[in-house]
Amino acid sequence: MEINQKQQPQKQEVQSRKRILVVLSIIVFAALVIGLVHQVIESLELEKQNELTQQQLDTAYNELDSMSNELDTRILKIAQLGGEIDTLLQIKNQLEEEKKAFRTKAYRQINDLQGKVSGYKEMLLAQDKEIVRLKAVNEKLLVENSELKDEANELNESLRDLNTTRSALEEKVAKASQLKIDGMKILAINSSGKEREGEFKNRHITHLKIEFDVLENSVAAIEGKSILVKITGPDKKVIFDVATGSGTFVFEGRENFYTVKKDILYDRNAQSLTFLYDKGSEYDLGKYLVEVYTEDYKMGAGSFVVK
């Protein structure tokens, strides 16, 4: 009886030590589980930032599953030793819930991401098709533009030819519309009114008489014309006196003098014109050139000699 009483405290002490050991094991293991759960939560947060791959998610889940298996082993051993396992069972249930939530959340994110990837792929394929279509349109437009350029070049060439032809025709018409003179006579009239033709002496020239016909021209414009007579002496100088009606005109881009002028109305029919000029002084000896102009072209010419 005394022995039993001594063994009783020893047994109680052993059981107490076991309970302490179990409690310490539970605390340590709980700390490990909490740390692991915290690590898993941090992994989930990191996963939001870095978009963990399927392999990484599987690895994390396998770690949780391995920890769950180890926890099962601990619970079984502690139960066999007669320790308290209620707390461990609660942790086990919490871990299973964390596993389930982790799995659901992780794979939902993967599925969402895969869905987005599929959507992006479809979009890219659609864009590829659009690119192919646009390339075909551009190639067609390039061909059409090339054809249009060829047509435009041909049209421009035709227009150039037409303009050249028109310019040539206009030049021919302009040249054909120029007035001409014929039958020029240059006479010297003395003080008694006697006329001489050909070569003159100064005493024969009181007045210089110039006659010619403006020829008929059916393509010339019906309009007023200024007929200019220019007399150039042997010294190559133009006989010029403003007091007797002389002036200037432009021929071939240069200013020229004329000796005498007469304004007429030209109606396309032939007209006979007569010019009288009184120099007022003697003529130098030699040959004189008489030219007739209108506007910017020469109508004809003649000459006389003073000896």
Side-chain angles (χ1 to χ4, degrees):
M1 184 69 176
E2 187 177 356
I3 293 173
N4 290 335
Q5 287 177 351
K6 289 181 179 180
Q7 291 178 346
Q8 187 69 26
Q10 291 177 352
K11 185 176 181 180
Q12 289 177 354
E13 185 179 354
V14 171
Q15 290 179 349
S16 178
R17 289 179 179 177
K18 286 182 178 180
R19 288 192 181 96
I20 292 171
L21 181 60
V22 169
V23 171
L24 288 174
S25 298
I26 291 172
I27 292 172
V28 172
F29 193 75
L32 291 173
V33 171
I34 291 171
L36 180 60
V37 171
H38 181 69
Q39 182 180 0
V40 171
I41 292 173
E42 286 184 348
S43 297
L44 287 174
E45 292 298 326
L46 184 61
E47 180 254 345
K48 291 180 181 179
Q49 300 175 2
N50 300 323
E51 297 182 354
L52 294 176
T53 62
Q54 178 75 44
Q55 184 179 1
Q56 290 173 315
L57 292 172
D58 287 342
T59 300
Y61 182 81
N62 290 335
E63 289 178 357
L64 280 178
D65 193 51
S66 177
M67 187 60 68
S68 177
N69 293 333
E70 290 182 13
L71 183 56
D72 287 337
T73 303
R74 301 297 192 285
I75 292 172
L76 180 59
K77 288 182 179 180
I78 292 172
Q80 290 175 349
L81 294 172
E84 178 63 41
I85 62 173
D86 291 341
T87 302
L88 289 177
L89 289 174
Q90 291 177 0
I91 293 173
K92 165 71 175 177
N93 291 333
Q94 182 180 352
L95 183 56
E96 290 297 326
E97 291 296 326
E98 292 289 347
K99 282 172 55 181
K100 184 177 179 182
F102 174 79
R103 196 71 167 179
T104 302
K105 184 176 182 181
Y107 282 94
R108 184 171 63 248
Q109 289 179 344
I110 290 174
N111 290 333
D112 291 343
L113 182 60
Q114 288 176 343
K116 290 181 180 180
V117 170
S118 297
Y120 289 141
K121 286 182 178 179
E122 291 179 2
M123 182 189 68
L124 291 175
L125 289 174
Q127 296 305 312
D128 289 340
K129 292 179 180 178
E130 180 65 10
I131 289 171
V132 171
R133 187 187 70 82
L134 290 175
K135 282 183 178 179
V137 171
N138 286 333
E139 289 175 358
K140 183 178 179 181
L141 289 175
L142 185 62
V143 172
E144 292 177 354
N145 287 337
S146 179
E147 292 175 352
L148 288 175
K149 286 181 180 178
D150 292 340
E151 292 178 2
N153 290 334
E154 291 177 1
L155 179 60
N156 288 332
E157 187 175 351
S158 298
L159 288 174
R160 283 194 296 270
D161 293 342
L162 180 61
N163 288 332
T164 302
T165 302
R166 184 177 65 182
S167 297
L169 288 174
E170 288 176 350
E171 186 177 350
K172 288 180 179 180
V173 170
K175 192 171 183 179
S177 65
Q178 291 181 358
L179 304 181
K180 302 293 182 182
I181 64 169
D182 189 33
M184 178 180 285
K185 290 183 179 181
I186 301 172
L187 306 171
I189 304 176
N190 62 16
S191 57
S192 61
K194 184 178 179 179
E195 296 181 352
R196 288 180 174 84
E197 184 178 1
E199 297 181 352
F200 322 120
K201 294 182 179 179
N202 265 299
R203 67 176 183 272
H204 299 147
I205 312 172
T206 303
H207 298 288
L208 193 64
K209 182 178 181 181
I210 302 170
E211 296 178 341
F212 55 81
D213 294 329
V214 179
L215 299 178
E216 176 184 352
N217 190 326
S218 60
V219 297
I222 298 176
E223 58 184 356
K225 294 283 188 182
S226 292
I227 308 300
L228 313 174
V229 175
K230 175 183 175 182
I231 303 174
T232 304
D235 57 0
K236 307 301 180 181
K237 293 181 180 179
V238 178
I239 297 176
F240 178 88
D241 186 357
V242 176
T244 59
S246 299
T248 61
F249 70 104
V250 177
F251 177 68
E252 294 181 347
R254 297 176 61 184
E255 188 175 37
N256 284 263
F257 295 102
Y258 65 83
T259 307
V260 65
K261 178 180 79 168
K262 180 175 289 188
D263 293 326
I264 66 170
L265 175 63
Y266 183 75
D267 60 0
R268 296 178 179 170
N269 294 314
Q271 295 186 39
S272 296
L273 297 181
T274 300
F275 291 80
L276 291 176
Y277 181 71
D278 184 3
K279 185 174 180 293
S281 60
E282 289 191 351
Y283 288 84
D284 295 332
L285 301 182
K287 185 176 181 179
Y288 287 77
L289 177 64
V290 179
E291 298 170 293
V292 181
Y293 294 85
T294 184
E295 298 175 353
D296 59 350
Y297 63 90
K298 186 163 69 172
M299 300 170 64
S303 64
F304 66 94
V305 175
V306 178
K307 59 180 182 179

